[in-house]
Amino acid sequence: PLTGLPGNHRTESEIDRRLQSSAHTAVAHVDLDNFKAFNDHYGFLRGDHVIAFASNVLQNAQAGSPDASCFVGHIGGDDFVVVMDTEHVEMFAKHVIEEFDAGILDFYDPEDALRGYVEVPDRRGDRHAFPIVSISLGIATNERRPLSTSLEASQIAAEMKEFAKRTSGSTYEIDRRTE
């Protein structure tokens, strides 16, 4: 309801439909890094504004993509899925990162934005610094190896997303393995 984007069922159906058509397909799992700390620090209402912002960034990239069939879904929380032609996915990812990074500081209090982090206490009351929210995209494609189902594509995209998250800041990783 927050983003108005299609949810899990529609997203899974879209991935399966594209994979069955044998079209070159990219599936990107998109996640916000350090979002929980932001939400804990500022509250869920401000967190919802960041989720809506991320949704708008993805929809702007979708609208600007030469792939007219680009699909953006919201699978819950700060997690999104994009399904599109492999030819345009890297340009899409770069556009998302550029726009996200250009606007995310607007959601922070000025002193936190200048400092580059928020401090959030853990369960024991110890304070920890968490960097500015960034965006990570993990991308699976059927360009170099076959993908049979939405589950398989999603598992590979999730794996690539975790790989991308190892790098600080907004980033993307594309699976380029052949097996």
Side-chain angles (χ1 to χ4, degrees), residues 61-140:
Q62 175 187 35
S65 173
D67 180 357
S69 66
C70 180
F71 173 92
V72 177
H74 184 195
I75 58 174
D78 63 330
D79 294 306
F80 298 86
V81 173
V82 177
V83 187
M84 65 186 307
D85 186 287
T86 58
E87 181 182 353
H88 306 292
V89 72
E90 194 158 7
M91 180 184 69
F92 179 92
K94 289 176 181 177
H95 178 107
V96 166
I97 288 169
E98 182 179 322
E99 186 176 341
F100 187 88
D101 287 351
I104 190 60
L105 289 177
D106 294 344
F107 297 92
Y108 283 81
D109 290 346
E111 61 272 10
D112 294 333
L114 285 171
R115 192 173 48 232
Y117 64 89
V118 294
E119 287 187 347
V120 179
D122 64 17
R123 293 179 185 187
R124 292 184 287 170
D126 297 329
R127 297 187 71 72
H128 298 276
F130 289 89
I132 300 298
V133 174
S134 56
I135 195 164
S136 292
L137 296 88
I139 303 163

Side-chain angles (χ1 to χ4, degrees), residues 42-64:
Y42 290 116
F44 72 90
L45 288 176
R46 244 162 122 175
D48 282 353
H49 291 294
V50 170
I51 290 171
F53 167 66
S55 172
N56 289 335
V57 166
L58 291 167
Q59 290 177 77
N60 289 343
Q62 175 187 35

Side-chain angles (χ1 to χ4, degrees), residues 29-33 79 136-139 154-167 171-173:
H29 275 218
V30 183
D31 187 38
L32 302 182
D33 310 318
D79 294 306
S136 292
L137 296 88
I139 303 163
S154 291
Q155 287 173 334
I156 293 168
E159 179 185 349
M160 297 314 297
K161 180 184 70 179
E162 292 308 313
F163 187 65
K165 285 177 161 291
R166 294 180 192 167
T167 302
T171 190
Y172 68 94
E173 290 292 338

